[in-house]
Amino acid sequence: MANLLTDYIIPFGWILGGIILTVACLMGGMAYLTLFERKVLAAAQLRIGPNVVGPFGLLQPIADGLKLLSKETIIPSGANRAVFILAPMMTFILALVAWSVIPFNQYLVLANINVGVLFLFAISSLGVYGIIMAGWASNSKYAFLGSLRAAAQMVSYEVSMGLVLVTVLLCAGSLNLSQIVLAQSHGWFGVSWLPGWYVLPLLPMAVVFFVSGLAETNRSPFDLVEGESELVGGYFVEYSSMTFALFYLGEYMNMILVSAMTSILFLGGWLPPLNIAILSYAWMGPIWFVLKTIFVLFCFIWVRASFPRFRYDQLMRLGWKIFLPLSLIYLLVVAFVLVYAGWLPKVA
């Protein structure tokens, strides 16, 4: 009985508690990311933004959620009901499952698996199916064309993101996300207090990863899946109420995931900005990680406020004719430097 308690029940309780806490924090963060985005866009456009519902508009996300919950879910008469309802659920669930391998600290991670990068890449690839299912099940030409456009866009930029991941893996010498962060703890040029973040030697790859993340999450200026003049709302044009909200939640959850991945791969994850004792306490690790993630999220919104929407041919040309050759060439350069210049991976 003692073995059953200590070996199974207590560890399961800790894992379940961690899952509930992670999901609760993500849901709260996602809700207030919508408010953060509206405030940043308002500042960029010299507007006020939400400021009526609650003090400083802080209750606006709750009001939006209650409004969506109170609306009727309308299913088109010609739609495949089962697939129509399953598609937004699949998109939202996959966005949550990916967080199981994201390390908030060296020991604060739900599943510290040795193939965390491959797991994330597999989960992000499955997200295409939810979009295709939504477009097909809606029985609408606009939704179907929007889903095909979204799938082509996501697949195109996943190729470049894969090469970027391989470049980081060569430098870190591990597929484990925690080890990738720890590999960045060594200072540059023999100076121990300097951060060893990969954004310095891999800056072009960091830019490619960030821009590909914009396209992967269908964010402006790559929000080609929706177009007011030809596709209206894209693959979710027939959705309403909470089924629409699940797509909305999934998009913002993927934004947070891409920002967290950028922080882990290039900005040192939970590591402090300087390797000095006063900034390196263990309890500060999650704080640094969250702050870096918020900074990348701000860049997501900043890009939306600054650039107009691309044409579809420009989107594809950027992915296949610029990012793919650039990431492939940089991968070969990094491999050459690692082998012949002695810049070998330093796994902690």
Side-chain angles (χ1 to χ4, degrees), residues 97-103 109 111-126 158 160-181 183-184 198 209 257 260-266:
V97 168
W99 280 88
S100 59
V101 296
I102 297 295
V109 54
N112 191 23
I113 58 178
N114 290 327
V115 289
V117 173
L118 290 180
F119 177 84
L120 278 177
F121 203 63
I123 292 296
S124 64
S125 300
L126 289 175
E158 278 179 0
S160 299
M161 292 183 78
L163 291 174
V164 173
L165 289 174
V166 172
T167 306
V168 174
L169 299 181
L170 284 178
C171 296
S174 175
L175 289 167
N176 184 288
L177 292 171
S178 297
Q179 293 296 329
I180 291 174
V181 174
Q184 301 176 61
Y198 287 151
F209 188 84
L257 178 64
M261 281 297 297
T262 305
S263 171
I264 290 171
L265 296 176
F266 299 103

